[in-house]
């Protein structure tokens, strides 16, 4: 492990790193992942996260808004805070070693830790904003929560009456095209990829590390448990992101 840490630290020092993050980087902030041993899929039905159910069933929407209102969905009213893993990536950015962070996460913790918006591409959207599914108008999620506070359990668009939903990508929805383009722009300037806390199994997001690795760029994986790309990883570091990332950054800075 120590040899692998040193080798990975060397890569971080010499390279222009693209960070690719998944739900695992936020578990140490108290947000469950989907597919880990304590993941959401051990308790909930993934079909409830499909856009067709959200559109068809007002009860699902009411339940979702009530959870947001109570701050339970790591959105506008959430108390979750970034952890040492998020902060280590900010250190890399400040050192000029990070070309950007492509994240599958919707929790906004990379920005809360200190990465500027332009350094983060949110492939699966975020909970900070909400939008009308019909006319596409957007609002800060907090604005919609004020409508919920005022009694609209399933708020609809004040302009066109359409269904309102947070700007997160559910199963069955397209990925935000602009964020995908930004992610590929960041990837095009990277000399190596640091994949953190992801099973690397959700496509098309996972195409980014897969393509860079296929192009011969080193892929360092930091994860607890196996991933779909372990066989193509240059270095694989098993363990908690909040423990490994600060050590990696320390090694890179001390070289
Ligand atoms: P995933 O749930 O498929 O995989 C997470 C991986 O991280 C697992 O292998 C798990 O064992 C590992 N892990 C858990 N805690 C870790 C830690 N402290 N350090 C290192 N590894 C750790 O996650 P994914 O690949 O991101 O795909 C899940 C999808 O779910 C994504 O599309 C994402 O949008 C969404 N999601 C997001 C959040 C969030 O925003 N925080 C939370 C849950 C799910």
């Amino acid at each position: 492990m120590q040899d692998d840490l040193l080798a990975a630290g060397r890569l971080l020092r010499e390279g222009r790193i693209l960070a690719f993050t998944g739900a695992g980087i936020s578990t140490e902030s108290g947000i469950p992942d989907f597919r880990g041993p304590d993941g959401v899929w051990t308790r909930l039905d993934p079909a409830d996260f499909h856009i067709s159910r959200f559109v068809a069933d007002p009860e699902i929407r009411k339940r979702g808004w009530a959870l947001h209102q109570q701050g339970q969905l790591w959105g506008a009213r959430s108390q979750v805070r970034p952890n040492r893993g998020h902060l280590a990536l900010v250190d890399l950015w400040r050192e000029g070693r990070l070309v950007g962070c492509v994240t599958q996460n919707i929790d906004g913790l990379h920005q809360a830790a200190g990465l500027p918006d332009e350094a983060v591409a949110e492939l699966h959207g975020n909970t900070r904003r909400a939008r009308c599914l019909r006319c596409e108008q957007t609002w800060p999620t907090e604005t919609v929560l004020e409508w919920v506070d005022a009694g609209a359990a399933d708020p609809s668009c004040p302009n066109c009456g359409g269904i309102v939903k947070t700007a997160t990508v559910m199963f069955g929805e397209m990925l935000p095209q602009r964020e995908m383009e930004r992610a590929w722009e960041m990837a095009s300037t990277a000399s190596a990829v640091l994949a953190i806390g992801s099973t690397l199994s959700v496509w098309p997001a996972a195409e980014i590390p897969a393509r860079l690795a296929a192009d011969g760029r080193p892929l360092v994986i930091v994860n607890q448990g196996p991933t779909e790309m372990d066989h193509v990883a240059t270095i694989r570091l098993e363990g908690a992101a909040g423990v490994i990332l600060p050590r990696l950054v320390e090694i890179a800075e001390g070289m």
Side-chain angles (χ1 to χ4, degrees), residues 18-210:
L18 179 77
F20 180 89
T21 64
I25 196 170
S26 293
T27 57
E28 289 161 84
S29 293
I31 302 177
D33 59 18
F34 276 174
R35 297 174 186 77
D38 302 316
V40 170
W41 291 169
T42 59
R43 286 174 282 121
L44 296 180
D45 181 356
D48 278 346
F49 290 75
H50 198 282
I51 184 67
S52 57
R53 285 238 183 138
F54 183 86
V55 168
D57 188 347
E59 291 310 314
I60 287 186
R61 300 198 293 272
K62 284 181 193 167
R63 210 159 55 221
W65 285 116
L67 289 172
H68 273 295
Q69 191 184 28
Q70 296 154 19
Q72 288 187 31
L73 291 186
W74 46 88
R77 293 183 180 171
S78 165
Q79 298 299 314
V80 289
R81 292 287 169 264
N83 64 57
R84 287 177 301 165
H86 298 103
L87 294 170
L89 291 183
V90 178
D91 286 342
L92 275 186
W93 170 259
R94 294 197 176 130
E95 296 276 320
R97 304 193 210 289
L98 202 68
V99 297
C101 176
V102 174
T103 188
Q104 302 170 88
N105 294 345
I106 55 168
D107 54 35
L109 290 183
H110 288 300
Q111 296 93 321
L115 283 186
D117 282 341
E118 71 263 23
V120 186
E122 294 176 310
L123 294 186
H124 294 163
N126 63 69
T127 53
R128 294 186 303 281
R129 292 198 71 80
R131 70 183 170 96
C132 169
L133 294 183
R134 189 186 294 159
C135 74
E136 295 290 334
Q137 175 156 355
T138 68
W139 307 267
T141 299
E142 182 53 34
T143 302
V144 179
L145 289 177
E146 284 163 16
W147 305 340
V148 179
D149 292 342
D154 173 22
S156 51
C157 175
N159 304 319
C160 74
I163 291 171
V164 177
K165 177 183 165 296
T166 56
T168 51
V169 177
M170 292 181 114
F171 293 122
E173 283 191 288
M174 298 283 286
L175 267 55
Q177 199 186 339
R178 178 74 196 116
E179 292 301 293
M180 204 61 183
E181 285 166 8
R182 293 183 58 238
W184 281 112
E185 276 163 27
M186 290 173 188
S188 68
T189 63
S191 61
V193 192
L194 178 61
I196 307 150
S198 173
T199 48
L200 301 174
S201 64
V202 178
W203 291 70
E207 189 185 347
I208 293 176

